[in-house]
Amino acid sequence: MNLTRRRSLRSAAAVLVLAAAAGCSSGDGRPAAAVPEPASAATALCQALDDRLPQHVAGLERDDPRPESELTAGWGSPAIILRCGVPRPEAMDDPDAEGVEADGIGWLLEQEHDGSFRFTTTLRRAYVEVALPAEHAPRGLAPLSDLAPAIGEAIPEGIAD
């Protein structure tokens, strides 16, 4: 991915405003998220990230998805879902892939077929994915900015194995 071809935060926020809703929930009202199966090196990094994640993201209370795991976290309803230790997205091989930067953390930006957005960290030793439903688009990239300090502390720069 050509990281020099990043959209401005303002442009990315405008794109998010146009996104359609996405999400799922479990029977008890809590969101559901597939738990990644990272390589062993990424597992330790993801556990360290879980310990540093904020209680609030974009003003939304943390409400972790089911099944409970140190590799997933969620905030709000519909939930902003974080998954740590996901596989490297194929879109990172595309030199024209869209990217944004929020508070020093680079992100691959992908719009899903249902209109939601998925952000995946770039140039980090473990891949962290954040799914952002359209309902949270007015918050712009605030969720990524709120997560940046924890990611910067727990997931070192580099290339994931």
Side-chain angles (χ1 to χ4, degrees):
M1 179 175 75
N2 183 348
L3 294 179
T4 62
R5 297 190 63 198
R6 297 178 191 269
R7 285 187 175 185
S8 71
L9 293 180
R10 188 176 309 174
S11 296
V15 169
L16 291 175
V17 171
L18 301 174
C24 57
S25 62
S26 62
D28 66 358
R30 289 178 60 193
V35 177
E37 296 181 15
S40 59
T43 299
L45 296 173
C46 292
Q47 289 169 337
L49 174 62
D50 186 59
D51 290 339
R52 290 173 172 81
L53 289 173
Q55 186 62 31
H56 294 90
V57 167
L60 302 169
E61 183 83 22
R62 186 168 175 175
D63 185 18
D64 288 346
R66 292 202 181 273
E68 292 185 25
S69 171
E70 293 178 316
L71 304 175
T72 61
W75 294 267
S77 178
I80 295 169
I81 299 289
L82 177 145
R83 299 185 329 127
C84 186
V86 298
R88 182 179 189 274
E90 288 182 26
M92 286 191 181
D93 293 332
D94 181 353
D96 295 324
E98 298 290 340
V100 296
E101 185 171 330
D103 291 6
I105 304 296
W107 298 88
L108 168 70
L109 165 67
E110 296 178 276
Q111 183 172 4
E112 300 298 316
H113 293 295
D114 64 2
S116 64
F117 283 84
R118 178 176 54 197
F119 297 90
T120 308
T121 56
T122 60
L123 303 175
R124 294 279 159 181
R125 301 289 302 166
Y127 294 107
V128 178
E129 172 189 282
V130 175
L132 187 65
E135 287 86 348
H136 298 303
R139 300 172 194 278
L141 296 179
L144 302 182
S145 291
D146 289 347
L147 294 167
I151 292 169
E153 291 173 10
I155 313 291
E157 290 183 29
I159 305 294
D161 296 329

